[in-house]
């Protein structure tokens, strides 16, 4: 058996290349801490043109900044790479694009501890090099960038719940390794966890499906809701004996009253579309059994062949299949309500292919 890699990958050294202007930064921080008023989200309205789908794509400069400098695998160029491909495929004219917004600390605190929020907020001043054991470096504007990932997800959720969008896709998001009290594996704040908490507290939606096909196990969500019988979890990933974070065994099915509500499907290194498609019906059966009222999809692109950090061999067809089927299931039992998040993916061609495949299925 291979030793479980303790960290994701050698991470970059922090430099100043992502410096925000002092004014802009003050403004963002003011909004996040509630000192300044947040611009209100426009109320529900009909899509501008009949030819445009009711799916919403969340992209923008503030999201792109969620990336680590100096050759880190999760660089700040990922959103642009995706957008270029989406544009080339003519997808951007079919979807409404929506801008990012920063989260308030109250919103981040729906999932995270105040201690973790404070630590990230003051990480630069405290001259921390990393937020974890060496995967997730501090960089200039780390709090603002991370809070934008969360705020945008909360905004996307509001649009879906108000009926303004049927579905949303946020490529820079899906930071599934962050736990309630810590950053991990390139993930500072867990936008997915904040969405789950917001669904429950603000929209009264309890039974939520969380489906994760990122090559890494979604441990930040799994362990936060391991004993929660209403979080319907399904995760196809590379076997934890070979890959970070080392968890997500077939026997991890939930605890106590939640036993049986969690489905982990580890695949051995080298597994490709054939193995993915063999496993997929189990995900569908799992969701059908629990009839979720909302579907969250983490579609990390790092399971594709030649990802520099992992060893599976999916093609973008796997992502297209999952997105198509989840849209169908959301239509059956969740009034079509579905949010997709980009997650990992470190080969740029792969992430462009996988994420555009997902977007194509959602428009
Ligand atoms: Zn991943």
């Amino acid at each position: 058996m291979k030793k479980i890699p303790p960290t994701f990958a050698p991470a970059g050294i922090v430099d100043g290349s992502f410096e925000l202007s002092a004014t802009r930064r003050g403004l963002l921080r003011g909004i996040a801490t509630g000192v300044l008023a947040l611009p209100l989200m426009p109320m529900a309205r009909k899509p501008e043109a009949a030819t445009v789908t009711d799916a919403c794509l969340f992209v923008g400069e503030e999201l792109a900044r969620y990336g680590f400098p100096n050759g880190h695998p999760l660089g700040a160029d990922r959103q642009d790479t995706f957008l270029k491909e989406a544009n080339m495929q003519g997808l951007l004219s079919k979807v409404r694009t929506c801008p990012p917004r920063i989260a308030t600390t109250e919103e981040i605190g729906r999932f995270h501890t105040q201690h973790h929020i404070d630590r990230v907020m003051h990480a630069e001043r405290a001259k921390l090099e990393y937020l974890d054991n060496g995967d997730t470096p501090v960089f200039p504007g780390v709090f603002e960038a991370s809070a934008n990932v969360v705020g945008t997800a909360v905004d996307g959720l509001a649009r879906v719940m108000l009926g303004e969008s049927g579905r949303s896709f946020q490529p820079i998001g899906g930071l599934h390794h962050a736990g309630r009290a810590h950053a991990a594996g390139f993930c500072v704040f867990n936008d997915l966890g904040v969405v789950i908490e917001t669904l429950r507290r603000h929209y009264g939606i309890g039974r939520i499906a969380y489906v994760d096909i990122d090559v890494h196990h979604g441990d930040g969500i799994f362990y936060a809701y391991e004993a929660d019988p209403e979080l319907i979890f399904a995760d196809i990933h590379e076997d934890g004996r070979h890959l970070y974070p080392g968890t997500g065994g077939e026997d991890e099915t939930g605890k106590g009253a939640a036993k049986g509500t969690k489905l982990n499907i580890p695949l051995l290194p080298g597994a490709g579309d054939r193995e993915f498609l063999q496993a997929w019906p189990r995900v569908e059966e799992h969701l059908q059994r629990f009839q979720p009222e909302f579907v969250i999809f983490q579609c990390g692109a790092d399971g594709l062949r030649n990802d520099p950090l992992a060893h599976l061999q999916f093609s973008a067809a796997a992502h297209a299949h999952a997105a198509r089927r989840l849209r169908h299931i959301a239509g059956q039992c969740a009034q079509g309500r579905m949010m997709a998040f980009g997650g990992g993916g470190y080969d740029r061609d792969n992430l462009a292919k996988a994420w555009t495949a997902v977007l194509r299925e959602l428009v």
Side-chain angles (χ1 to χ4, degrees):
M1 187 191 297
K2 262 188 183 173
K3 191 174 169 289
I4 296 163
T7 65
F8 241 117
I13 301 158
V14 179
D15 74 359
S17 59
F18 290 80
E19 197 66 71
L20 295 173
S21 80
T23 316
R24 176 147 188 81
R25 190 169 218 199
L27 184 68
L28 288 172
R29 195 157 282 208
I31 292 170
T33 52
V35 175
L36 297 172
L38 190 66
L40 284 177
M41 206 201 67
M43 291 307 288
R45 60 171 188 266
K46 293 260 184 292
E48 288 83 357
T51 50
V52 174
T53 147
D54 66 342
C56 223
L57 173 67
F58 283 85
V59 286
E61 192 191 329
E62 290 86 349
L63 283 169
R65 284 204 190 98
Y66 189 86
F68 304 93
N70 286 3
H72 188 287
L74 199 151
D77 60 318
R78 293 163 81 244
Q79 180 181 262
D80 266 4
T81 307
F82 156 74
L83 280 174
K84 277 188 192 127
E85 179 67 21
N87 189 41
M88 215 173 71
Q89 294 186 19
L91 288 169
L92 296 185
S93 59
K94 294 183 181 163
V95 68
R96 282 187 302 150
T97 52
C98 301
R101 75 148 170 93
I102 197 163
T104 64
T105 49
E106 181 277 321
E107 287 168 333
I108 303 168
R110 291 172 193 171
F111 181 78
H112 289 290
T113 61
Q114 190 61 45
H115 178 77
H116 178 48
I117 298 169
D118 288 343
R119 188 163 175 268
V120 177
M121 191 179 269
H122 303 304
E124 290 175 67
R125 205 175 60 196
K127 299 199 181 326
L128 289 183
E129 195 178 351
Y130 291 99
L131 291 165
D132 57 5
N133 294 328
D135 289 325
T136 315
V138 174
F139 62 92
V142 62
F143 174 79
E144 288 77 7
S146 308
N148 262 294
V149 174
V150 172
T152 306
V154 174
D155 199 23
L157 173 60
R159 286 173 192 264
V160 171
M161 292 308 296
L162 286 170
E164 191 193 342
S165 308
R167 303 159 298 289
S168 73
F169 181 37
Q170 183 180 330
I172 305 302
L175 305 179
H176 62 169
H177 295 305
R180 291 190 187 272
H182 66 270
F186 311 168
C187 303
V188 177
F189 295 138
N190 195 322
D191 48 328
L192 306 156
V194 172
V195 165
I196 292 167
E197 294 299 328
T198 305
L199 269 166
R200 287 175 168 179
R201 295 185 210 177
H202 293 262
Y203 298 106
I205 302 280
R207 210 165 49 260
I208 300 161
Y210 172 84
V211 179
D212 185 326
I213 62 168
D214 189 286
V215 78
H216 303 94
H217 181 230
D219 56 342
I221 295 297
F222 182 81
Y223 292 109
Y225 298 98
E226 192 177 14
D228 182 325
E230 292 220 294
L231 198 280
I232 312 308
F233 180 97
D235 192 323
I236 299 178
H237 50 269
E238 183 173 334
D239 193 309
R241 289 171 297 181
H242 303 272
L243 192 71
Y244 178 97
T247 54
E250 191 93 46
D251 57 339
E252 294 191 87
T253 62
K255 278 189 172 165
K259 206 154 190 57
T261 62
K262 313 290 183 271
L263 175 67
N264 280 301
I265 307 182
L267 300 180
L268 290 172
D273 286 357
R274 194 166 55 105
E275 288 78 6
F276 181 88
L277 292 171
Q278 273 170 1
W280 181 258
R282 294 177 60 200
V283 173
E284 290 200 22
E285 281 160 29
H286 190 64
L287 300 192
Q288 295 290 2
R289 183 174 156 210
F290 293 101
Q291 296 284 303
E293 303 164 274
F294 196 96
V295 175
I296 298 171
F297 178 34
Q298 202 275 21
C299 59
D302 40 11
L304 267 63
R305 182 194 300 265
N306 292 333
D307 185 89
L309 302 189
H311 322 96
L312 296 188
Q313 302 195 357
F314 300 158
S315 75
H319 287 64
H321 183 76
R324 185 162 57 245
R325 293 304 303 163
L326 288 177
R327 180 177 177 178
H328 177 73
I329 291 168
Q332 280 182 329
C333 57
Q335 298 174 38
R337 297 179 298 216
M338 170 176 177
M339 296 180 81
F341 296 88
Y346 305 102
D347 178 278
R348 299 318 192 239
D349 283 348
N350 281 350
L351 75 82
K353 281 182 200 146
W355 290 351
T356 49
V358 168
L359 181 59
R360 186 173 289 279
E361 296 299 332
L362 297 186
V363 296

